[in-house]
Amino acid sequence: MFFAGVDIGSTAVKVVMLDQQGKVVGCETTRTGYRGAENAWHLLKGLLAAQTGVTPEVWGRQGGDPAKLPVRVVATGYGRHKLAQAHRQVSEITCHARGAYHLEPGTATVIDIGGQDSKVIRVAQGGTVLDFAMNDKCAAGTGRFLEVVAGALEENVDSLGRLAVASNQPVAISSTCTVFAESEVVSHIAAGSSKENIAAGLCLAVAERVAGMAGRIGVQPRVVMTGGVAHNRGVVRALATMLGLPVEVLPDPHLVGALGAALLARDAFANNQPKT
Amino acid sequence: MAELRYRRLQTLNRLPRLMGNHYLAARYLRYVRPVAWITSGAPVEIIRAMGILPVYPENYGALCGSRQAAGTLCQVAEARGYSRELCSYAKCNLGSLAEPRQAPLGGLPRPTVLVACNNICGTVTKWYQALARDLRVPLFLWDTPFSPGELTDGGVAYAAAQLREMVRFLERHTGHKLHQDRLNRVMDKSREASRLWSEIRLLGRHRPSPLNASDLFIAMAPIVVLRGTDQAIDFYRELKAELAGRVAKGEGALPVERYRLVWDNIAIWHKLLRFYGQFLDHRACFVADTYTGGWGTVMEGDDPLTALARTYTGVFLNRGLAYRASQMVELVRDFGAHGFVMHANRSCKPYTLFQYDIRRMVTEQTGVPGLVIEADMADPRSYAEEAVKTRIQAFMETLDG
């Protein structure tokens, strides 16, 4: 039996598969696009094929009936209710907490910045959720914010971070609205500000929003960061400065939610086995 | 989980008729009696005792919300220059005046006078001033001082003095006189309705709870609008008897009650069944709430105007952070709640302002977690379905441990 966590986020689909012992045997990511759940099923079939030697077409012909799969699937992320092969749906908050705690057992706070959500999660011993705060219905402080404004600089989210750490005087980005922030960037470009300083200003703006949210629930060390935006060093550095605490980035931070989902699938399976 | 069904309270079936009659009476009796538009925290007892018909624009805002008309009316008001940030009840009312054809019931019957009390918010003062200007109708503003701590005698005396002025204002503009014996009778009826209402709310302490907050939200219309009448008393007697019957049979509002929660802030009227239904899926019942408690205070004291001044000045929205937090702590403890849900209501600033501090204080003092949901009481444009769903699921997973 295998265990898969499928995280269908707003930007990317992430799949992590574990074996019976809890070892990661495979992981895949792709863009979510219009058919997020289908894309996820496609990745899952590929991982299953690699482990079992049965071709993806065979799993496809069976229609992905969850009862017939040699894998227990927990789906998370915005598309979690769409995945027909899932045995259970769990919120991203619980999954990120579980995944982060597994990778770093001293974790007390998880900061997850994804495509359209950012969250701060207080984690209890064992990786369960004590408390959480999430951004309001607005893209400020999310990956989407950085993606949009990075476009104005002809950069992407990761390269924006590399630029930001080379800045000596970040510009001020006062607007929390993504669209207005983009026009602020345009005016900074027109005023001759360097790319590095604009990039740093944008990373600070995201960090400010997230740090404000963190203040609502209180931050305890150790603080780890998950989600795709953790690849952006500028945001990580700005967050650490604002929180006054070291912020550790977990390896493959974008996969932590899917890993947590896979671990929860394995936990549930273990709990349902007859006791010997 | 589709088999989980809400147990509907039979008494609530009487409401459409009861409230329909209220609005119908206002529509036709206004030809023979003066009509006052008043805020939810205004001293309706005086108005009723003077034979003036009270009409509540805030109740109308809730009605627009539950009839899915608020989004359109808010847009109408915004197109006329009112801010998107303005209270959606105010915008429903102002929008209904501009576009009566888009408004439920064709809008409210025109007022003879306006009475606003700032015990619930500062918005009502400007809202009613705009009404007074547009409708060319006299306005009385009752200023009830905010109490950071306990109510002071000076504050109560200040509020009571204005009530005497208000009586003169109403007499002057309607030609109706206030008779002491009538005021006493209305106040007795008001006390009786408030007493019944607070007893009904306390029934939520039973396990399982015979009522869910969404029942209270539906059932609260008469305590707001018909306070001081026999109809309100009859309705709540019947409701209380039905709930007592549930308690005697050990029957809950939910078929299975796994979690007990406390609700904070005004209901999300435009999603009443859908929103609260999500908690039903998790077998979670809102056994108590802060909002409907606003009408559960029984007036005390011999001098009617002082009793009114004390009660209306002391409403929870006119009180400081410590009072608001202790109110939540008591509800969590007394009702044996596992958690609480706070509606960060874009419209209602005074209600929403302290929420993050209250949330922290309540969790520190009771150990139970709280969730903040962002929405609006009437305007559906401020509601993000998926985001709300994710937060509720994550919160319920937290309770599952």
Side-chain angles (χ1 to χ4, degrees):
Chain A
M1 181 60 71
F2 294 95
F3 305 97
V6 178
D7 180 356
I8 307 177
S10 62
T11 310
V13 172
K14 288 82 67 177
V15 183
V16 170
M17 200 153 86
L18 308 175
D19 65 12
Q20 196 109 23
Q21 282 69 45
K23 196 171 127 271
V24 176
V25 293
C27 57
E28 290 285 352
T29 60
T30 187
R31 301 287 294 182
T32 303
Y34 179 66
R35 293 186 176 81
E38 272 177 47
N39 294 343
W41 173 221
H42 182 72
L43 295 184
L44 191 60
K45 278 189 292 190
L47 287 174
L48 269 180
Q51 290 305 314
T52 59
V54 180
T55 60
E57 289 69 31
V58 174
W59 300 120
R61 273 202 298 280
Q62 291 187 1
D65 178 359
K68 292 187 187 145
L69 293 174
V71 60
R72 289 286 162 270
V73 182
V74 166
T76 187
Y78 268 84
R80 65 186 181 279
H81 296 292
K82 296 278 186 294
L83 186 70
Q85 292 77 26
H87 297 84
R88 212 177 130 209
Q89 289 83 23
V90 178
S91 74
E92 304 92 284
I93 291 145
T94 302
C95 290
H96 275 270
R98 183 72 178 86
Y101 192 86
H102 176 80
L103 293 172
E104 188 51 77
T107 298
T109 308
V110 177
I111 296 176
D112 163 39
I113 309 185
Q116 67 175 21
D117 273 332
S118 45
K119 338 175 173 63
V120 182
I121 310 163
R122 289 272 310 279
V123 184
Q125 290 277 331
T128 56
V129 176
L130 269 182
D131 199 357
F132 66 92
M134 248 171 128
N135 64 312
D136 49 29
K137 346 161 246 310
C138 165
T142 68
R144 187 73 76 210
F145 174 89
L146 287 174
E147 215 171 84
V148 170
V149 291
L153 293 175
E154 295 178 14
E155 296 290 338
N156 61 43
V157 175
D158 299 354
S159 66
L160 201 67
R162 282 195 294 278
L163 285 168
V165 291
S167 154
N168 49 15
Q169 201 174 10
V171 302
I173 303 288
S174 53
S175 181
T176 53
C177 166
T178 306
V179 178
F180 290 164
E182 192 184 8
S183 45
E184 270 190 72
V185 167
V186 172
S187 51
H188 280 300
I189 295 170
S193 303
S194 74
K195 236 183 195 184
E196 286 80 4
N197 288 343
I198 299 174
L202 291 166
C203 293
L204 272 176
V206 169
E208 259 170 28
R209 292 284 289 196
V210 176
M213 201 161 65
R216 291 178 194 167
I217 59 164
V219 173
Q220 297 289 328
R222 298 161 71 165
V223 183
V224 306
M225 200 168 155
T226 64
V229 174
H231 290 296
N232 178 310
R233 284 153 55 202
V235 172
V236 178
R237 198 176 71 165
L239 259 175
T241 310
M242 267 170 220
L243 298 175
L245 286 170
V247 174
E248 299 167 49
V249 177
L250 293 175
D252 296 320
H254 58 290
L255 292 177
V256 173
L259 172 68
L263 289 164
L264 290 168
R266 188 165 163 266
D267 294 349
F269 185 74
N271 290 340
N272 286 337
Q273 291 300 298
K275 300 270 183 301
T276 49
Chain B
M1 295 190 205
E3 82 280 8
L4 282 186
R5 280 257 177 263
Y6 224 17
R7 291 200 178 110
R8 173 107 180 150
L9 287 159
Q10 295 306 309
T11 312
L12 299 185
N13 295 338
R14 280 185 51 196
L15 268 177
R17 190 153 184 197
L18 192 63
M19 295 308 293
N21 283 345
H22 161 74
Y23 279 109
L24 201 67
R27 183 156 309 280
Y28 293 105
L29 285 177
R30 76 186 168 105
Y31 296 109
V32 288
R33 277 167 62 184
V35 171
W37 283 11
I38 66 174
T39 59
S40 60
V44 65
E45 291 80 2
I46 293 176
I47 287 150
R48 217 177 267 295
M50 293 179 76
I52 302 167
L53 289 166
V55 170
Y56 286 84
E58 288 160 66
N59 178 257
Y60 181 73
L63 184 140
C64 292
S66 56
R67 292 200 186 177
Q68 312 304 327
T72 310
L73 292 175
C74 287
Q75 279 171 14
V76 169
E78 285 160 19
R80 292 173 68 84
Y82 290 102
S83 162
R84 167 119 200 203
E85 302 302 321
L86 180 64
C87 163
S88 54
Y89 282 176
K91 281 189 287 187
C92 283
N93 180 223
L94 295 161
S96 73
L97 288 171
E99 288 281 351
R101 277 174 309 177
Q102 310 237 36
L105 315 172
L108 294 172
R110 294 286 167 131
T112 319
V113 288
L114 300 163
V115 177
C117 175
N118 63 3
N119 56 353
I120 51 163
C121 65
T123 301
V124 291
T125 57
K126 290 293 155 195
W127 168 10
Y128 276 62
Q129 279 169 355
L131 288 174
R133 183 194 60 203
D134 290 355
L135 301 173
R136 297 174 195 281
V137 169
L139 161 67
F140 187 87
L141 280 177
W142 186 24
D143 178 36
T144 46
F146 181 83
S147 310
E150 291 302 310
L151 259 65
T152 61
D153 289 342
V156 173
Y158 167 71
Q162 291 171 73
L163 283 184
R164 284 185 276 280
E165 212 179 299
M166 180 178 130
V167 171
R168 287 193 294 277
F169 165 90
L170 291 171
E171 286 178 342
R172 189 164 70 244
H173 290 289
T174 66
H176 286 218
K177 295 281 168 225
L178 178 66
H179 301 288
Q180 275 309 316
D181 53 334
R182 272 198 78 179
L183 179 60
N184 288 335
R185 273 207 304 280
V186 172
M187 283 184 64
D188 283 342
K189 287 179 188 174
S190 175
R191 281 192 190 96
E192 178 62 6
S194 295
R195 191 180 58 75
L196 285 163
W197 183 242
S198 66
E199 286 168 2
I200 285 168
R201 292 181 70 250
L202 286 176
L203 291 174
R205 292 197 288 196
H206 287 278
R207 288 167 192 262
S209 167
L211 54 83
N212 194 349
S214 51
D215 296 321
L216 290 174
F217 298 149
I218 296 169
M220 71 185 286
I223 193 65
V224 181
V225 172
L226 300 174
R227 200 162 69 251
T229 68
D230 290 323
Q231 292 113 292
I233 296 172
D234 292 344
F235 175 75
Y236 290 120
R237 277 203 184 123
E238 196 176 321
L239 182 61
K240 193 185 155 197
E242 185 180 357
L243 290 165
R246 278 188 176 180
V247 172
K249 283 186 281 185
E251 197 178 277
L254 270 54
V256 185
E257 178 187 290
R258 188 156 170 225
Y259 294 113
R260 298 166 66 80
L261 303 173
V262 173
W263 174 261
D264 184 54
N265 214 311
I266 300 174
I268 302 175
W269 296 114
H270 54 95
K271 289 273 185 308
L272 201 59
L273 295 181
R274 190 141 160 207
F275 177 81
Y276 297 99
Q278 294 181 59
F279 290 90
L280 180 64
D281 291 342
H282 294 281
R283 288 138 171 92
C285 183
F286 284 103
V287 295
D289 75 291
T290 54
Y291 174 45
T292 64
W295 292 268
T297 311
V298 182
M299 287 179 286
E300 285 169 11
D302 293 334
D303 173 49
L305 295 190
T306 306
L308 286 167
R310 187 173 294 281
T311 304
Y312 286 103
T313 304
V315 299
F316 67 91
L317 283 177
N318 210 24
R319 307 295 284 274
L321 171 64
Y323 181 88
R324 294 266 307 275
S326 71
Q327 193 186 26
M328 279 291 283
V329 167
E330 276 169 32
L331 288 178
V332 167
R333 284 189 182 143
D334 293 353
F335 287 74
H338 301 97
F340 56 98
V341 178
M342 308 181 101
H343 167 202
N345 183 350
R346 191 181 177 105
S347 273
C348 196
K349 275 79 176 176
Y351 212 149
T352 305
L353 183 66
F354 300 139
Q355 271 175 329
Y356 279 99
D357 291 304
I358 296 174
R359 174 176 181 270
R360 183 176 45 76
M361 290 161 81
V362 174
T363 300
E364 275 168 11
Q365 289 175 44
T366 63
V368 309
L371 171 71
V372 178
I373 293 281
E374 299 192 10
D376 186 275
M377 56 201 183
D379 189 347
R381 295 172 301 168
S382 299
Y383 187 85
E385 185 90 43
E386 257 319 301
V388 167
K389 203 186 272 176
T390 299
R391 282 159 181 75
I392 293 173
Q393 188 177 2
F395 181 67
M396 297 315 293
E397 286 165 2
T398 308
L399 289 183
D400 286 332

